[in-house]
Amino acid sequence: MTVAEAVVSRRSVRAFLDTPVDAAVLRRVLETAQRAPSGGNVQPWNAVVLAGDPLARLQAAIAETVAARGERTMEYDIYPKGLDGAYEERRVEVGEKMYEALGIARDDKRGRFAQFARNFRAFGAPVVMLVHTPRYMGPPQWSDIGMWLQTVMLLLRDEGLDSCPQESWAMYTRQIRETVSIPEDHVFFCGLAIGHGDPAAPVNRFAVPRAPLSEVVRFEGF
């Protein structure tokens, strides 16, 4: 697989098969991903990779809170409070396309909540990677973590695997910290669901729109 093929074929998969993932493959991916760039070679990413019983315990802990509509314990805003214009339009559009693919109507609150709850089962993925970083790290280091995550996701594609980056896990950091050892002086950032995507699932097949290049990039001096 070329880099371009990995980029084009990568998508946020929201329905996984129960096919196990080889730990050796994950180690190979993560070892290679250590070559991802970071300012000053700081490498601010830290992660815990869960499968089997540890993952099941975490999912059970969060599922109980989600079902009870319990307290959310955010450590940061997933979206800025002032998100508007084209940025907000893109966010809303992809959400509506997803629900349309799932056959969940806009006024079906129960169906939409059930889909929201599937986030915390990692959409059936057998592996979840939890990402965290020291609290004093700033926006440049968070950008570095994003470059590392993209590198991981593209390398997973090269291995025939799929993924879904999930900031939604940050809604329940208390349950995560009670179940998984994450340093208190670290901010929990996100989860990454990893596995084999279900190619037949409609939620994995709808077209995800992207802004045209002319809308986001300006060329000068060419």
Side-chain angles (χ1 to χ4, degrees):
M1 182 178 290
T2 66
V3 174
E5 288 169 340
V7 170
V8 171
S9 65
R10 190 218 64 80
R11 66 177 292 147
S12 294
V13 165
R14 292 183 172 85
F16 288 86
L17 302 173
D18 60 3
T19 308
V21 175
D22 188 342
V25 172
L26 294 177
R27 288 183 180 276
R28 182 164 62 243
V29 164
L30 293 170
E31 285 280 2
T32 306
Q34 284 299 105
R35 302 303 305 173
S38 61
N41 200 34
V42 168
Q43 304 169 63
W45 47 82
N46 296 264
V48 182
V49 183
L50 301 179
D53 290 341
L55 177 57
R57 285 194 295 271
L58 173 62
Q59 291 175 330
I62 295 182
E64 183 178 347
T65 302
V66 172
R69 310 292 177 104
E71 177 189 9
R72 297 179 183 178
T73 52
M74 299 289 297
E75 295 189 347
Y76 67 92
D77 292 327
I78 292 178
Y79 301 106
K81 292 181 171 60
L83 192 67
D84 62 3
Y87 307 109
E88 174 67 0
E89 290 169 6
R90 294 169 193 158
R91 187 190 71 82
V92 171
E93 180 184 21
V94 75
E96 291 306 316
K97 285 183 176 294
M98 180 189 72
Y99 286 122
E100 182 181 355
L102 290 165
I104 301 174
R106 180 185 290 271
D107 59 355
D108 183 359
K109 294 183 179 180
R110 180 173 295 182
R112 292 197 171 208
F113 183 77
Q115 178 60 24
F116 165 77
R118 291 188 184 98
N119 275 284
F120 309 103
R121 294 290 182 185
F123 305 113
V127 176
V128 171
M129 184 169 71
L130 304 177
V131 181
H132 54 96
T133 193
R135 291 186 185 277
Y136 63 75
M137 294 296 180
Q141 287 73 49
W142 283 56
S143 174
D144 293 341
I145 296 170
M147 289 191 285
W148 172 72
L149 279 168
Q150 174 76 335
T151 303
V152 170
M153 289 186 284
L154 296 182
L155 289 168
L156 289 170
R157 288 299 306 126
D158 190 48
E159 297 282 358
L161 292 166
D162 298 292
S163 62
C164 183
Q166 296 181 272
E167 291 168 328
S168 56
W169 286 90
M171 296 179 180
Y172 298 100
T173 54
R174 178 176 62 80
Q175 290 78 7
I176 291 172
R177 291 182 181 279
E178 289 174 351
T179 311
V180 180
S181 179
I182 293 176
E184 285 299 323
D185 62 348
H186 280 213
V187 172
F188 175 80
F189 176 33
C190 71
L192 182 70
I194 300 171
H196 297 269
D198 181 353
V203 74
N204 292 337
R205 296 166 61 90
F206 73 92
V208 179
R210 289 292 191 265
L213 189 63
S214 59
E215 188 175 312
V216 298
V217 176
R218 186 176 71 250
F219 288 88
E220 296 184 359
F222 289 87

